Amino acid sequence: MRGQLATLLLLCAALFTLTACEDRAEVAAEPLLYEVTNADGEVEGWLIGTMHALPDGVNWQTDMIEQVTADADLLIVEVAELDNQSAIAMTFGELASTEGLGPLSQRISPDLRDELAEIVARSDFPGNTFDNTESWAAALMLARVDAYGDPANGVDRALIRAFAGREVRGFETAEQQLGIFDRLAEQDQRDLVEGTVREWGAAQESPGELTRAWMAGDIEALERASEEGIMADPELREALLVGRNQDWMPALLTALAAPGKPLVAVGTAHLVGPDGLVAMLGQNGYTLTRLD
């Protein structure tokens, strides 16, 4: 699946999307939605795979999702404070800057430098923006350029608004999520930049491919996307996806066992595959049933 990195970040990380989209007619979507039952067949909660940014006109709030949203007692998302953009921007600025790093173009393979220059030229970033920007942060900023979706339409934000007056928890804080990228080894950060550049070029030919797979609830395509491209890099896959799933499991198991039924809404990449939350909950004795 080509052009997947920016969209895959929308599937598995909550903070890094900012773009405008063309107007389009309303289209229906059927995101992955699972009912979680215990060994006695009792419903303990639900999981929904989200997109953190979507084009205008995507109608993903099916009757079943609306019913689950009404029935749930609390919401668990990746980061609960998504609307506090000023605080997130401050944290990003503190972590992302280091003096004396030098031009970003000198941190990547020479054969990608012309394409990097093209991306920067299409962006609002001045040419020397990244001289003091750590490589991971530059990759996330570049992934915004020509990205396919608007965070104002993100599923997480819509659900947080729908749970006004009810409890909303986050598996991570914004600082913790940014810190995952900040702690990557420099070579892994540079791999992330190079993956961003390569995928930007591919996405120009097939924009929105992964978003359409999410809208269709195509598990096979979503699982492939979570294993290919930049996510085929073992260190990046462990840091951005698998390790986070493992870190979330104690809190998730506690919430399912406690009184009150949670709706767990996280990037869809966190649900699918052998390292996904669906498989991990199955290994802990729960039954996951996909709801239409």
Side-chain angles (χ1 to χ4, degrees), residues 28 65-66 70 121 137 143 154 160 177-178 187 196 230 268:
I65 291 174
E66 289 185 347
I160 289 170
Q177 192 171 103
L178 288 165
Q187 186 55 57
T196 302
I230 202 70
T268 300

Side-chain angles (χ1 to χ4, degrees), residues 93-291:
E94 291 171 351
L95 294 176
S97 299
T98 297
E99 292 294 325
L101 292 173
L104 184 63
S105 61
Q106 300 306 305
R107 297 179 235 161
I108 64 172
S109 175
D111 66 302
L112 294 173
R113 290 172 184 170
D114 287 346
E115 197 160 22
L116 172 63
E118 183 179 355
I119 300 173
V120 173
R122 288 181 59 84
S123 74
D124 296 327
F125 306 129
N128 63 347
T129 293
F130 302 112
D131 288 2
N132 298 313
T133 302
E134 296 187 13
S135 301
W136 67 268
L140 295 177
M141 294 167 70
L142 291 170
R144 297 173 175 179
V145 179
D146 296 327
Y148 191 83
D150 187 335
N153 299 330
V155 174
D156 313 69
R157 285 173 167 82
L159 288 172
I160 289 170
R161 291 192 297 269
F163 274 76
R166 286 178 284 175
E167 183 180 3
V168 177
R169 300 177 192 169
F171 283 123
E172 302 163 340
T173 65
E175 184 174 5
Q176 288 170 331
Q177 192 171 103
L178 288 165
I180 293 167
F181 290 90
D182 189 46
R183 289 190 298 273
L184 289 171
E186 177 59 26
Q187 186 55 57
D188 292 329
Q189 294 187 34
R190 294 183 181 194
D191 289 345
L192 193 61
V193 176
E194 292 188 353
T196 302
V197 174
R198 291 190 179 96
E199 296 297 345
W200 178 87
Q204 306 313 299
E205 300 178 19
S206 184
E209 186 175 356
L210 194 53
T211 300
R212 290 190 291 274
W214 174 84
M215 291 169 59
D218 187 337
I219 296 176
E220 292 183 359
L222 292 166
E223 185 173 347
R224 284 197 305 273
S226 73
E227 298 173 344
E228 296 175 348
I230 202 70
M231 286 299 171
D233 182 303
E235 289 79 12
L236 290 175
R237 179 175 174 79
E238 174 64 27
L240 303 182
L241 196 61
V242 178
R244 293 171 69 203
N245 287 350
Q246 293 169 342
D247 289 344
W248 295 348
M249 280 301 293
L252 177 53
L253 292 172
T254 297
L256 291 171
K261 297 180 177 65
L263 171 59
V264 179
V266 295
T268 300
H270 290 287
L271 300 190
V272 299
D275 300 312
L277 296 181
V278 171
M280 294 171 74
L281 284 174
Q283 294 163 7
N284 279 272
Y286 288 96
T287 297
L288 283 293
T289 304
R290 185 174 177 183
L291 303 178

Side-chain angles (χ1 to χ4, degrees), residues 79-91:
V79 175
E81 66 268 30
L82 284 179
D83 288 333
N84 192 353
Q85 289 296 302
S86 60
I88 292 173
M90 182 177 297
T91 302

